[in-house]
Each structure stands twice: as C-alpha cells, then as structure tokens.
Amino acid sequence: MADYRQMWTDLGMDLEHHDVLCEVLPEAFGGVYLTQQDRPKGMDFYDFVVSEIHGVRPAEMLQHQEEGGKVFGTFCVYVPDEVVFAAGGIAAGLCGGSQFWVSGGEKVLPANTCSLIKASIGARLDKTCPFFLIPDIYVGENTCDGKKKAWEILAGEVPLHIIDVPQMKRDRDVAAFEAEIRDFIKVVERVTDKKITVESLGEAIKLINNKRRALQRVYNARKASPVPISGKDALLVTQINFYDDPARAAQMANNLADELEQRINNAIGVFPDKTLRIMISGTPMAIPNWKLHHIVESLGAAVVVEESCTGTRYFENLVDESATTLDEQIRALAERYMKTNCACFTPNAARIDDIIRLTDEYQVDGIIDINLQFCNLYSTESYLIKQVMKEHNIPIMHIETDYSEQDFEQLRTRVEAFLEMLRK
Ligand code: BJ8
C-alpha cells in the first residue's frame, strides 16, 4: 500500500491501533482470496482495491470534499443513493464487517447487539477507519431496534439524518416512503447546497441502474455450470460496489462479466463439474466478512448466489427510467426501494418467494441461512423459511454466528456434515 499516513493523521485517526489492522488484513485476504485457483483476470481490480482499502477511495472522497463536494455515509440498501449523486455528492456504504471494530462498539452498546452494528459504531468511535471519519453526514434508518438506538449515540459524533423505512408494504406505506424521499431530497439539497432537477435525478437514476445492471450480469454468469467465478470473488465485487465510484464500479463489473461470459462459452469453471451449488441467505456480509463463504468453498462446494443485501437484494430491481417529472421520479424510486424484501417488513412472504425462485434460477443444491447473532429479525424469519423449504424439498441449514473466528472450526464441522448430506 502507498503511504497514506499523513492523510490518516489529518483525519484524526488512531494510527497505532490502525496499524494492527493494516498488519493483519493483507494476510487474511491472502489466505482467503489469493490462494484460489483460476481466478478471473477481472478480479485484479478488486484485489488492488483491497490492497489499498484505506487509501485510494478515501483519498478520492477527500479530493471531492476539497473541490466543494459532500460525502454521505450510509448503512442500508433502503437509502436511495440516486438522490445523493443527483446533487453531486458521494454516497458510500459504511457497514463494518470486521471483528477488529467490535470491541470499540461494545464500549457503548449492549453485548447482545449484532456484530454489524457494534463494528460500525466501533470503527467510528475508535477512529480506526477513514471511511467513517470522512462523511459530512451519516444517513441512518430505523430498520431494526439495534440500529435505531445506535444512531442516537453516533449523532453525538457526526450530523445524522434518519430515514423512516415503513415496515409494511401497503399502498400507503409506499406513499409514506415517497414522502421520506422528498424529505431526504431537502436534506441533501441543504448539505450540498445544490438543487436536484429532473435532469440531474434522471442521470443519477441511470448511473445507479447501470451499476445494478452490471452486477446482474456478474450474477447471471453464476447461474452457469460449471460456475465461472467463486462465491468469494462475487461477494467481494458486491462488497466493494457499496462504496466505490458507481460509474467505475459498473465498468469494472461489466469487464468482469465479459470475461465470465467468455468463460461460459468455453465451459471454463473454477470448480470441477458436479460441484455442490450453495445459496447463502440472510443477514448481510459487510467487507471483510468472508467467513462463511471461505468455509463452504474450502470444503469443495461453490457458493453460487447470496440472497442478502450484499447479494441479490442490492441490485435485483431497477428504478423506472421513463419518468419525466420530479414527482414521477420520486414515485419510481419509492416503488423500486419498497420492492426490497428485508426481514424488517411484516409480513415478508415475498422474501421466501425470492429464495424459492433463486434456488431454481441458480440450480441450488442446498441453502445455508445465516444469521448474525442477536439479529432478531432474520433469526425469527428463518423459522418460516425452514418450514417453506421443507415443503418444497429444498435442503436448508441455519447458522447463527458473529464476526469472531472462535466458532470457525465448529461451523466448518456443521457445514461439512450438511454438504455430506447433500452429496448422498
Ligand atoms: S435492508 S438487511 S441493509 S436493514 S443484521 S443491523 S437488521 S440486527 S443489516 Fe440490513 Fe437494510 Fe435490512 Fe438490508 Fe439490524 Fe439485523 Fe444487525 Fe442488520
């Protein structure tokens, strides 16, 4: 990695503590990623991004601020990035995915809070992640109780706007979300001092849709057998898309998709024929959480799809681009975002329908339903998912875990037993 110490010092980071992370991350990434065989050439870009993870993109964001632009830190796929980019801002997904930050979160949060929230709060309070120190404003939402209360702590640190995400999907809920987007537009216009117009919002809708289309191409390639890319690599692509420049993200994902489509034409895969095909469903896996993918793939099965917010929920639905007025565009945004099936909704049967559909589309042999410990929403929903999968004869196992490595061997044993059962 190039030398970014001056930049980190200027951001007020705790360099000594941060050095510990800089030491362990390359080794962890090398062990999980660089040991894979026959990786697509298109992954070079993503490897580079990881090698410069706290350098290149933060430097771009700071440059943007020096030129008068604003940066918005977000934590959920319900935040409409289009609004931020329409005002010339940058939106960056901040969710923390490392155990390294968890202890910082535990200083202020109850122990029975999920790792994602603890890590996100810890990264900010411990000052060990530049992404958390750069934003001019954070955008939270009220999707779960843990996040709701965590924002009140973070609000003492940084300006924070909270989006009220409805928890049902009736027409009046879509209308309520439309009103939330209108409020968000006002906040973004105030922070950026820029007016959002039909033209700028139309361009931003296309920009973000293009990123989604590129990710759809990468995921479509994973439907092939043999699968041309590992689940670990596909997960990394999605994780990096949360905070990379959206135009570059689309270009890189499209380049990768070109290569994957070529591999499919030549019947080139990264796993042998007849490898078990696994879907992972459940809570999101923020970078650098690669634990479950690594376990599954090191046991000789392929993860071919993630039904999660670091998977299909991130890019499946597009915003209608045909709107010609701001009112129509806002409605189109509300309709698109309200199609996302997070467990914070009740009832949430559409998510179960998605899982069944994806099982078919990706020729899945078995599902691993993962839940970040203390996420009551996904944990409870897993009961219904298991019931319906049983009715459809789709093998499924449920896992509760966190970011630590303590349960690694235990999880490995359980996943191994599940894969053995699928092989019989
Ligand atoms: S749309 S999944 S990104 S809320 S795992 S913090 S729910 S206790 S992350 Fe999420 Fe938006 Fe839903 Fe997706 Fe709470 Fe659960 Fe933790 Fe979670």
Side-chain angles (χ1 to χ4, degrees):
M1 182 159 48
D3 190 355
Y4 295 102
R5 292 187 84 78
Q6 190 55 51
M7 178 178 88
W8 296 332
T9 306
D10 295 345
L11 279 169
M13 286 177 64
D14 177 347
L15 291 194
E16 208 178 309
H17 194 182
H18 182 246
D19 282 348
V20 180
L21 182 62
C22 292
E23 263 166 42
V24 294
L25 190 62
E27 200 182 312
F29 183 72
V32 174
Y33 275 88
L34 305 182
T35 49
Q36 298 180 98
Q37 301 294 311
D38 304 323
R39 297 178 74 211
K41 197 82 193 84
M43 288 310 297
D44 289 355
F45 167 73
Y46 302 96
D47 291 351
F48 167 74
V49 172
V50 174
S51 72
E52 297 271 324
I53 196 154
H54 283 177
V56 163
R57 186 64 180 146
E60 287 179 354
M61 290 173 170
L62 288 167
Q63 179 67 32
H64 174 76
Q65 284 174 324
E66 262 170 43
E67 291 160 5
K70 301 292 176 190
V71 176
F72 293 67
T74 67
F75 299 86
C76 178
V77 301
Y78 277 102
V79 178
D81 287 352
E82 291 88 344
V83 172
V84 175
F85 286 97
I90 288 178
L94 295 186
C95 296
S98 169
Q99 178 68 17
F100 180 77
W101 295 307
V102 165
S103 58
E106 282 175 341
K107 287 178 202 154
V108 294
L109 293 168
N112 59 351
T113 303
C114 88
S115 302
L116 189 147
I117 300 175
K118 284 183 200 165
S120 301
I121 300 283
R124 170 76 200 199
L125 298 185
D126 280 355
K127 305 197 183 328
T128 46
C129 177
F131 286 101
F132 280 81
L133 293 168
I134 292 171
D136 298 280
I137 180 168
Y138 283 4
V139 187
E141 27 41 68
N142 56 350
T143 45
C144 70
D145 288 353
K147 278 181 166 180
K148 247 188 249 178
K149 292 289 118 182
W151 306 143
E152 293 171 18
I153 296 171
L154 276 184
E157 287 272 317
V158 58
L160 211 147
H161 172 72
I162 297 172
I163 292 184
D164 184 1
V165 177
Q167 318 238 305
M168 294 179 80
K169 294 194 177 178
R170 301 158 301 185
D171 288 348
R172 65 174 186 252
D173 297 310
V174 181
F177 197 56
E178 210 180 315
E180 277 302 306
I181 296 176
R182 283 180 200 282
D183 282 355
F184 186 46
I185 286 176
K186 283 189 209 136
V187 170
V188 171
E189 286 181 335
R190 176 176 48 76
V191 172
T192 60
D193 200 20
K194 291 229 174 79
K195 195 92 195 125
I196 290 174
T197 62
V198 180
E199 291 71 32
S200 67
L201 190 53
E203 270 173 38
I205 287 172
K206 284 193 190 124
L207 176 76
I208 305 298
N209 269 351
N210 284 341
K211 176 168 84 166
R212 295 187 183 114
R213 288 190 186 97
L215 287 170
Q216 286 171 3
R217 285 186 64 204
V218 171
Y219 270 59
N220 277 338
R222 300 172 75 191
K223 294 175 181 170
S225 183
V227 63
I229 180 169
S230 68
K232 280 193 280 199
D233 278 340
L235 175 65
L236 184 63
V237 172
T238 313
Q239 289 172 333
I240 288 174
N241 269 248
F242 271 82
Y243 62 85
D244 198 11
D245 169 72
R248 178 175 55 212
Q251 192 199 330
M252 292 302 160
N254 274 323
N255 292 348
L256 178 64
D258 288 344
E259 187 182 353
L260 299 183
E261 286 160 12
Q262 196 55 50
R263 282 182 163 209
I264 294 169
N265 289 340
N266 299 331
I268 296 172
V270 287
F271 293 94
D273 255 0
K274 308 248 182 306
T275 295
L276 284 177
R277 300 171 63 88
I278 301 299
M279 175 200 297
I280 291 183
S281 66
T283 45
M285 293 169 202
I287 197 165
N289 179 8
W290 308 304
K291 184 161 96 172
L292 187 57
H293 280 61
H294 186 48
I295 288 175
V296 173
E297 298 198 327
S298 63
L299 288 167
V303 177
V304 293
V305 59
E306 297 81 21
E307 183 281 319
S308 82
C309 288
T310 41
T312 53
R313 290 204 290 269
Y314 185 50
F315 58 77
E316 269 210 336
N317 300 303
L318 300 179
V319 180
D320 181 3
E321 294 178 6
S322 66
T324 54
T325 65
L326 266 179
D327 282 346
E328 287 174 5
Q329 288 171 324
I330 294 167
R331 179 75 194 172
L333 284 168
E335 284 173 350
R336 184 267 163 198
Y337 279 88
M338 287 291 282
K339 282 186 197 147
T340 307
N341 296 317
C342 173
C344 64
F345 282 85
T346 184
N348 196 30
R351 177 167 170 236
I352 301 182
D353 295 343
D354 282 346
I355 295 175
I356 294 169
R357 173 179 55 81
L358 294 169
T359 305
D360 189 45
E361 284 179 11
Y362 288 82
Q363 309 167 60
V364 165
D365 295 302
I367 301 171
I368 301 180
D369 185 45
I370 183 172
N371 188 59
L372 269 182
Q373 208 178 20
F374 307 121
C375 177
N376 194 271
L377 295 169
Y378 280 86
S379 176
T380 308
E381 198 155 279
S382 74
Y383 173 78
L384 295 170
I385 293 172
K386 262 189 279 179
Q387 268 191 335
V388 178
M389 294 312 131
K390 206 168 166 200
E391 284 160 23
H392 284 76
N393 279 326
I394 302 169
I396 183 164
M397 78 176 291
H398 180 71
I399 279 178
E400 292 264 339
T401 187
D402 57 16
Y403 288 171
S404 77
E405 291 293 311
Q406 277 173 356
D407 61 353
F408 191 90
E409 283 311 319
Q410 192 199 350
L411 284 184
R412 203 180 138 85
T413 307
R414 287 190 58 209
V415 171
E416 193 168 25
F418 180 63
L419 298 179
E420 274 313 304
M421 192 265 292
L422 295 179
R423 286 191 180 105
K424 279 185 188 149

